[in-house]
Amino acid sequence: VLEKSNSVFIRGANLASMQDGSHDYGILEADVLVKGERILKLVPRGDTLELPANTRILEVDGAWLLPGLIDAHTHLVFAGSRAQEFERRLLGESYESIARSGGGILSTVQATRNASESQLLSLANHRIQAWIREGVTSIEIKSGYGLDLDTELKMLRVARRLEQENPIRVHTSFLGAHALPVEYQNSADAYIKQIIDHWLPEAVAQGLVDAVDVFCERIGFSLEQTRRVYESAKQLGVPVRGHVEQLSYLGGARLAAEFNALSVDHVEYLTPEDCALLASSGTVATLLPLAFYHLGETQLPPVAALRSHQVPMVVGSDFNPGSAPLASLLLALNMSTRLFQLTPEEALRGITQHAAKAIGHSELGQIKEGAIADLGIWNLEHPSELAYSFGVHSPLYRCVKGHWYQSGSQKELNPL
Ligand code: NIG
Ligand code: FE
């Protein structure tokens, strides 16, 4: 039996390679040979290459080939809705005061605990289609609406199942330290001890944890508590990230840098001095403009300082039922330019090359020989259009894990 070829040759595309160290979107004039999951060869336009037998040729004259998009920060798995809190916020209550009165994250925790695993999966399965339609090929998903062992594990299992059932890669983060559950009112230290002694090691042992996240904030956990979680993650060999300096300055970014965190996220209150620490620890800064917008915040993240210290900037959706119920990475992309003054190129790096760093997977997010061939082919005149206009973009083709799909569809292109 002849083995079916799994080579694809993409001919005639414009390439925005987004390679490390490149300028101007890393634009290249080349055709691309993909074999299985990998980019085998970039063939400069005009050069000839003998193609492996049975190579499928994708003629995409003038379309743009981009790395598959990466949403490096979401809370996609949850049950319930917080629309009524949204009403309260519009009548003047703050996100923080609603959280302190038992609403906010804790209300989603109640709904998520009450949902069965299959209910959670079907809610999340429905939502994730929006990311797939937009050309997202990797998504990070956090736990953090369980705040008890069973529900945290349930959320992480659902995240893993989403990857099995959909053409998308899923990276998980354990966010047990997201809020203090009612069982531990007034004993935050005991809660943290429970996490580091039992829950985190158990979740890691079950293979459910790719990174560990903490909400380091006045309404979350203190610097000292965050440090304890990071130390425990370090012992377990799992990289850390943090929700830091979102509503106030606590010094979470400095701490994260000390632990060589993959990324610090939100960072509206980050100081220019701390940007230098991030640069030297190789930590990227994840900007979340949809949460900034939906909460009506006014404190802007220090984009100019991040830029001058060359801290890679990531753009994520932060999709969640409280601060960012907006299921669109491309909307975040657009808003990062208008609200935070990122250039369209910086924004696009923030959902490709730089986003790959935030999830600790440097073989994604760039088009280069040897990299993983998660890709999108787009009908654009120029890649700057992706951030410039909203509501009109979806890829013509996507490639994930070596499988090719056409436009919004979940169906694989016919194998040769
Ligand atoms: O990233 N900041 C903490 N966590 C989420 C919000 C969670 C929620 O409100 O449910 C965030 O904004
Ligand atoms: Fe978040």
Side-chain angles (χ1 to χ4, degrees), residues 40-62:
L40 199 65
K41 202 120 196 71
L42 300 187
V43 187
R45 200 64 40 80
D47 286 13
T48 50
L49 176 79
E50 186 147 352
L51 296 176
N54 298 324
T55 299
R56 174 200 289 278
I57 295 180
L58 220 48
E59 288 282 1
V60 290
D61 201 24

Side-chain angles (χ1 to χ4, degrees), residues 73 75 82 95 105 145 178 215 243 246 266 318 320 322-323:
H73 184 138
H75 308 248
R82 307 239 292 274
Y95 179 71
I105 293 171
Y145 291 124
H178 193 197
F215 187 23
H243 283 71
Q246 178 190 7
H266 287 286
D318 195 20
N320 75 72
S323 67

Side-chain angles (χ1 to χ4, degrees), residues 261-295:
L262 293 173
S263 83
V264 289
D265 301 44
H266 287 286
V267 298
E268 278 85 344
Y269 286 83
L270 181 69
T271 61
E273 302 80 71
D274 289 358
C275 292
L277 297 174
L278 295 176
S280 47
S281 68
T283 302
V284 301
T286 302
L287 308 179
L288 303 169
L290 298 180
F292 174 91
Y293 155 80
H294 194 74
L295 293 179

Side-chain angles (χ1 to χ4, degrees), residues 9-15 30-32 45 57-65:
F9 190 57
I10 305 149
R11 189 149 66 192
N14 298 300
L15 248 69
D31 298 326
V32 181
R45 200 64 40 80
I57 295 180
L58 220 48
E59 288 282 1
V60 290
D61 201 24
W64 281 85
L65 181 66

Side-chain angles (χ1 to χ4, degrees), residues 73-195:
H73 184 138
T74 84
H75 308 248
L76 183 95
V77 175
F78 63 85
S81 143
R82 307 239 292 274
Q84 284 167 318
E85 284 180 7
F86 185 46
E87 296 253 20
R88 285 165 62 188
R89 283 202 278 121
L90 283 163
L91 290 170
E93 265 185 87
S94 75
Y95 179 71
E96 237 182 292
S97 80
I98 291 172
R100 288 184 196 284
S101 69
I105 293 171
L106 291 185
S107 92
T108 301
V109 168
Q110 205 48 53
T112 304
R113 287 179 177 180
N114 291 340
S116 71
E117 189 157 339
S118 71
Q119 284 169 331
L120 269 188
L121 178 63
S122 100
L123 288 165
N125 244 328
H126 174 75
R127 291 179 195 128
I128 206 168
Q129 305 314 315
W131 277 258
I132 293 168
R133 277 195 300 274
E134 282 194 339
V136 174
T137 52
S138 289
I139 185 171
E140 184 261 10
I141 300 177
K142 300 171 197 302
S143 70
Y145 291 124
L147 314 185
D148 62 32
L149 177 60
D150 286 351
T151 315
E152 290 292 307
L153 294 177
K154 179 170 77 175
M155 291 182 71
L156 294 168
R157 283 194 302 270
V158 166
R160 288 281 191 246
R161 276 281 289 281
L162 289 171
E163 171 158 14
Q164 289 158 12
E165 297 184 7
N166 294 281
I168 193 164
R169 291 177 205 266
V170 173
H171 285 253
T172 58
S173 297
F174 176 86
L175 180 56
H178 193 197
L180 197 59
V182 282
E183 301 82 43
Y184 286 85
Q185 261 341 301
N186 305 316
S187 42
D189 285 332
Y191 181 63
I192 293 295
K193 185 164 163 44
Q194 184 68 7
I195 287 179

